[in-house]
């Protein structure tokens, strides 16, 4: 198994949470007030699963391995991706603050704008990793080195998350997907012509 396959699976979970966040934004725009518990869960998922767990693997294992394999650390994709990790962290801190204000009765307009900017940032960031960095890693690392990366991911995760945390976050994601489902597609209306 390639180490990047594990990271892509985590990307899939992050993108699912971003879709939930978009649906929460839609509800806020319609005047709904999502449960504080749900908003806190989204922030926790983004801070712990997406950042500490996932970005931690990239920053602590994958990127250093790529630098050791010859990719420059100061120019090119790695510094760009690291800067985007920092930007994402700042966005999530802003979301957390905005959600607290909203839960206390504040206006949701700004958090909707901030959330959508964050969603765009992370979607583009994930695309860059999957199109640029992951293929480089797959090309440069043989099966033995891939195994070393995977072991590094496991050690890093064990030091950063309590046992069972990843499963807890995935269950939380599933619960939030049920609480904020995708709207069913509307049938196309007939505009003219025979049936």
């Amino acid at each position: 198994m390639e180490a990047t396959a594990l990271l892509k699976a985590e990307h899939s979970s992050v993108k699912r949470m971003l879709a939930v966040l978009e649906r929460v934004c839609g509800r806020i725009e319609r005047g709904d007030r999502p449960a504080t518990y749900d908003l806190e869960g989204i922030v926790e998922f983004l801070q712990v699963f997406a950042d500490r767990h996932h970005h931690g693997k990239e920053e602590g294992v994958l990127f250093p391995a790529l630098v050791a394999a010859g990719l420059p650390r100061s120019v090119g994709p790695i510094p760009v991706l690291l800067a985007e990790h920092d930007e994402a962290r700042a966005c999530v801190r802003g979301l957390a603050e905005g959600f607290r204000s909203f839960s206390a009765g504040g206006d949701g307009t700004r958090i909707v704008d901030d959330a959508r900017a964050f969603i765009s940032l992370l979607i583009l960031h994930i695309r860059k990793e999957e199109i640029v960095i992951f293929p480089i890693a797959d090309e440069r690392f043989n099966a033995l080195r891939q195994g070393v990366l995977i072991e590094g991911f496991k050690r890093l995760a064990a030091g950063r998350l309590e046992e069972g945390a990843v499963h807890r976050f995935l269950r939380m994601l599933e619960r939030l997907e049920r609480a904020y489902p995708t709207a069913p597609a509307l049938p196309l209306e007939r505009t003219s012509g025979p049936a």
Side-chain angles (χ1 to χ4, degrees):
M1 170 182 266
E2 294 171 336
T4 56
L6 295 174
L7 297 175
K8 285 178 186 176
E10 290 172 0
H11 278 172
S12 176
S13 296
V14 171
K15 288 189 286 190
R16 288 170 55 201
M17 184 58 83
L18 295 176
V20 168
L21 180 57
E22 175 57 42
R23 293 191 294 273
V24 165
C25 288
R27 288 212 187 164
I28 291 171
E29 286 177 320
R30 290 190 299 277
D32 293 345
R33 295 197 77 81
T36 299
Y37 177 77
D38 292 342
L39 301 178
E40 290 169 348
I42 291 168
V43 167
E44 182 187 15
F45 182 96
L46 295 172
Q47 288 176 329
V48 179
F49 181 86
D51 188 36
R52 187 182 314 154
H53 179 67
H54 176 76
H55 289 163
K57 288 178 181 177
E58 292 170 345
E59 293 174 2
V61 180
L62 180 65
F63 294 170
L66 286 167
V67 169
L71 239 60
R73 175 148 173 71
S74 57
V75 296
I78 291 179
V80 170
L81 296 172
L82 288 169
E84 289 175 357
H85 285 183
D86 288 340
E87 186 177 352
R89 287 179 187 111
C91 287
V92 173
R93 283 191 301 273
L95 270 179
E97 187 176 307
F99 281 162
R100 278 191 297 276
S101 172
F102 177 73
S103 293
D107 178 50
T109 306
R110 181 171 170 121
I111 60 169
V112 167
D113 292 342
D114 290 349
R116 287 193 170 133
F118 170 72
I119 291 167
S120 294
L121 168 71
L122 224 52
I123 292 294
L124 290 173
H125 174 80
I126 287 169
R127 191 172 298 143
K128 286 177 197 174
E129 288 182 341
E130 291 187 356
I131 291 172
V132 177
I133 286 292
F134 292 178
I136 293 170
D138 293 343
E139 178 185 300
R140 293 197 181 195
F141 301 134
N142 62 22
L144 178 62
R145 186 67 182 130
Q146 294 281 348
V148 169
L149 291 174
I150 291 169
E151 285 304 312
F153 291 166
K154 289 178 185 175
R155 278 192 309 279
L156 189 133
R160 291 183 173 209
L161 297 178
E162 72 249 12
E163 189 172 334
V166 170
H167 294 294
R168 181 176 66 83
F169 282 115
L170 295 178
R171 284 192 310 273
M172 175 197 300
L173 173 58
E174 291 169 357
R175 182 189 65 75
L176 288 166
E177 286 176 321
R178 287 189 303 274
Y180 301 91
T182 303
L186 297 174
L188 296 176
E189 293 183 327
R190 219 176 313 154
T191 56
S192 65

